[in-house]
Amino acid sequence: MEKVTYTQIDIVLTGRKIHSVLLENGCKVRQLQEILNLSCPQPIYRWINGKALPTVDNLYMMHKIFETHMEDFIIPRDVGKS
């Protein structure tokens, strides 16, 4: 069987990317929380700190807010061969 290289999402680098987009656009975590209609800012802090990933819905909303492709928020990580 042929070995295939595959990738996963690098959760830490993705969080850093989200944080840099917020900073570049002068958007505060609380502002994004309100726009995304989140009850508290904790999910955003978990994304930024590489502890969790945003849902597809939240990625879609951020793509609209910051006028960038959803894929630009996601940083891949090479995992190896299977």
Side-chain angles (χ1 to χ4, degrees):
M1 177 178 226
E2 183 179 331
K3 296 196 184 247
V4 179
T5 301
Y6 60 98
T7 58
Q8 291 180 342
I9 296 171
D10 188 313
I11 194 168
V12 172
L13 293 180
T14 296
R16 289 180 188 162
K17 176 64 176 185
I18 291 169
H19 191 228
S20 71
V21 170
L22 289 175
L23 293 174
E24 288 168 11
N25 288 278
C27 184
K28 305 273 187 216
V29 169
R30 292 276 183 183
Q31 292 171 312
L32 185 58
Q33 171 198 344
E34 289 176 14
I35 294 168
L36 296 178
N37 199 29
L38 299 172
S39 60
C40 67
Q42 291 314 110
I44 300 168
Y45 286 116
R46 284 194 293 268
W47 306 340
I48 290 171
N49 293 316
K51 303 293 181 193
L53 291 169
T55 64
V56 172
D57 288 343
N58 288 328
L59 279 173
Y60 180 77
M61 288 298 296
M62 289 191 298
H63 130 79
K64 291 297 223 179
I65 294 162
F66 300 115
E67 298 177 347
T68 187
H69 294 284
M70 289 173 54
E71 297 88 3
D72 291 343
F73 288 104
I74 300 169
I75 308 300
R77 171 174 58 102
D78 286 333
V79 176
K81 308 249 183 210
S82 67

